[in-house]
Amino acid sequence: MSEFIIRGGNRLTGSIKVQGAKNSVLPILAATLLTNETCVIHNCPRLSDVDISVQILRHLGCQVAREGNTVTVEGSGVCRGDVPEQLMRKMRSSIVFLGAIIGRTGMARMSAPGGCELGNRPIDLHMAALRRLGVNVDETGGFINCCCSRPRGCEITLGFPSVGATENIMLTASLASGRTVVRNAAREPEICDLAEFINKMGGRISGAGESTVAIEGVPCLHGCEHTVIPDRIVSATIMSAAAVTNGDVELTNMRPEHVSPIITALEEMGCSVTGGDTWCRIKAPERLAPACTVRTMPYPGFPTDAQAPLMAVAAVANGTTVFIESIFDSRYKHVAELNRLGAKISTDGRTAVVCGVSRLTGAAVESTDLRGGAALVVAGLNAYGETRVGNICHIDRGYEFFEKQISLLGGDIVRV
């Protein structure tokens, strides 16, 4: 199995182009099922999760081709509504295919999704919303079986602004009869990107990015061309890597407004962050200050996906930072691995207290999940000596050629 070997101490400098957003491209790929015409998707990163999505599309009958970072999906051959269990178990986000398959075929069969283990990730909000839309949902034997001749518009109030549930509602309701209104909807940029894609296909979605989203069902959708937004979590990770190495890095093809809570935290730690609409530059001090308290929240709050990389930064700050994880109940699995590198972090439930040290020390560590694995790479760039990061299949789910991107900035990292 592959691993990263990192020799820490190099200062990251230079310019890097941020990849397309994983959390946008996956629901957009699912949305291509809503038409039998051709969709062309640009800025599509090369990720293992994207590869799994392509396998699902091909299994369902789509023709899929990739050229560089452009993926073309032709859906006239869709002929089934089941997703193999082995593919569902490989990717948590595979549940987003449920709404698209129902919208296209009127039926769907799949097992519960897999992926990273970050604690309780119930899909009850998805199922309740589908039932409100008139879908007959049967959950027995570990499988989800759905059928509906045509979903019907309704009003849905989510108990939590779930990104996945909001996406599944949008996908199902786009071809439904009547109007669907979603209250307490997720507001993430990826929701806006999916809505823009569906609207390019002829959909009628309004309010995306706000707490109330309206979807006017249409009889059919057509093909379109779309460019995926930049990945805000990759942006946050690169900025974190610059911060721990006293770096000076420019990020292009990114949206500073999408990472404003991360920028605020890094500025509190002493970093200088400047930029424009599609770029930013981060310059880090020789010794970072603590960030005091970081509380993860739904967008536009501090993203839970950026918690682990920033914790690696706080581990070498001159003081104490407190993290409060309010989204997931088991998102501190990376703490034990950071402590193996010499960090001083203690946890109590959803709270982690990070007492910064002057520098970390290399060791062999294991990725436990996608963002936790990225945090170990960030920490290894600071650590004295050699750090070996194993189980990097998790990292490959969300970071395109991560070691090559870090190497371009001067980091000493190789995949073996």
Side-chain angles (χ1 to χ4, degrees):
M1 185 171 291
S2 297
E3 63 179 3
F4 288 144
I5 298 179
I6 307 163
R7 292 191 177 276
N10 288 10
R11 183 171 184 253
L12 297 193
T13 59
S15 179
I16 189 168
K17 181 181 178 181
V18 176
Q19 70 183 57
K22 174 183 93 79
N23 291 334
S24 270
V25 76
L26 300 183
I28 285 172
L29 284 171
T32 63
L33 288 168
L34 298 175
T35 178
N36 59 10
E37 298 182 11
T38 299
C39 295
V40 180
I41 305 166
H42 302 293
N43 201 30
C44 183
R46 291 184 176 272
L47 308 171
S48 59
D49 271 11
V50 172
D51 292 340
I52 293 168
S53 294
V54 168
Q55 291 177 50
I56 291 174
L57 289 172
R58 286 173 173 159
H59 172 81
L60 296 171
C62 295
Q63 297 292 319
V64 186
R66 176 191 276 274
E67 184 175 348
N69 285 100
T70 296
V71 172
T72 302
V73 182
E74 197 275 310
S76 63
V78 172
C79 57
R80 58 196 306 168
D82 65 299
V83 179
E85 185 175 4
Q86 66 269 25
L87 293 179
M88 289 295 298
R89 289 187 175 276
K90 289 180 180 179
M91 186 177 73
R92 177 183 59 84
S93 301
S94 54
I95 192 66
V96 79
F97 277 88
L98 188 59
I101 293 173
I102 293 169
R104 176 64 184 273
T105 69
M107 59 80 64
R109 175 178 168 82
M110 58 181 61
S111 65
C116 286
E117 297 296 332
L118 297 176
N120 190 26
R121 290 185 171 211
I123 58 173
D124 57 322
L125 293 177
H126 300 244
M127 300 301 103
L130 290 175
R131 290 187 174 102
R132 289 279 296 164
L133 287 161
V135 179
N136 182 7
V137 181
D138 177 43
E139 300 175 79
T140 56
F143 283 85
I144 303 167
N145 294 282
C146 300
C147 63
C148 182
S149 57
R150 188 182 182 190
R152 61 177 181 270
C154 64
E155 294 197 3
I156 301 170
T157 299
L158 294 174
F160 177 83
S162 162
V163 173
T166 302
E167 291 169 342
N168 255 326
I169 295 168
M170 290 164 59
L171 290 165
T172 308
S174 290
L175 292 176
S177 61
R179 186 171 191 259
T180 300
V181 177
V182 188
R183 295 187 173 86
N184 198 28
R187 301 169 58 189
E188 275 73 1
E190 295 80 13
I191 296 292
C192 300
D193 206 25
L194 175 61
E196 181 179 345
F197 178 73
I198 294 174
N199 286 344
K200 286 181 179 179
M201 298 169 74
R204 297 178 62 190
I205 300 176
S206 60
E210 303 297 331
S211 59
T212 299
V213 176
I215 307 106
E216 298 282 354
V218 297
C220 63
L221 295 170
H222 54 73
C224 72
E225 192 167 352
H226 182 74
T227 299
V228 176
I229 61 172
D231 196 308
R232 59 194 172 101
I233 306 304
V234 170
S235 297
T237 304
I238 297 298
M239 295 173 77
S240 296
V244 299
T245 62
N246 183 29
D248 182 354
V249 173
E250 180 185 70
L251 293 84
T252 63
N253 185 44
M254 61 91 70
R255 307 274 182 87
E257 72 271 20
H258 291 172
V259 292
S260 57
I262 295 97
I263 291 175
T264 298
L266 289 170
E267 287 178 334
E268 186 178 351
M269 301 177 86
C271 296
S272 169
V273 183
T274 57
D277 292 340
T278 60
W279 67 278
C280 80
R281 179 184 180 185
I282 176 171
K283 296 178 66 176
E286 289 189 10
R287 187 73 196 277
L288 296 158
C292 295
T293 301
V294 177
R295 182 188 296 270
T296 64
M297 297 288 287
Y299 190 86
F302 191 96
T304 180
D305 281 355
Q307 173 254 108
L310 192 74
M311 187 176 288
V313 180
V316 294
N318 186 23
T320 300
T321 301
V322 176
F323 287 82
I324 301 172
E325 175 54 59
S326 64
I327 306 298
F328 296 118
D329 56 11
S330 185
R331 196 148 202 179
Y332 288 144
K333 292 184 178 181
H334 55 280
V335 167
E337 301 303 298
L338 287 174
N339 285 343
R340 285 178 59 84
L341 295 171
K344 293 184 178 179
I345 307 171
S346 59
T347 62
D348 183 7
R350 291 177 177 265
T351 301
V353 179
V354 185
C355 299
V357 299
S358 59
R359 191 173 179 187
L360 301 173
T361 303
V365 291
E366 291 287 320
S367 300
T368 58
D369 58 79
L370 169 56
R371 307 305 176 184
L376 297 178
V377 173
V378 170
L381 293 169
N382 170 275
Y384 176 80
E386 182 179 277
T387 299
R388 304 179 75 96
V389 181
N391 210 19
I392 62 174
C393 57
H394 286 303
I395 300 173
D396 290 337
R397 290 183 47 237
Y399 294 86
E400 181 180 48
F401 306 131
F402 197 31
E403 74 280 12
K404 294 181 180 179
Q405 300 298 308
I406 296 296
S407 295
L408 286 174
L409 297 173
D412 189 345
I413 176 173
V414 294
R415 179 189 294 257
V416 296

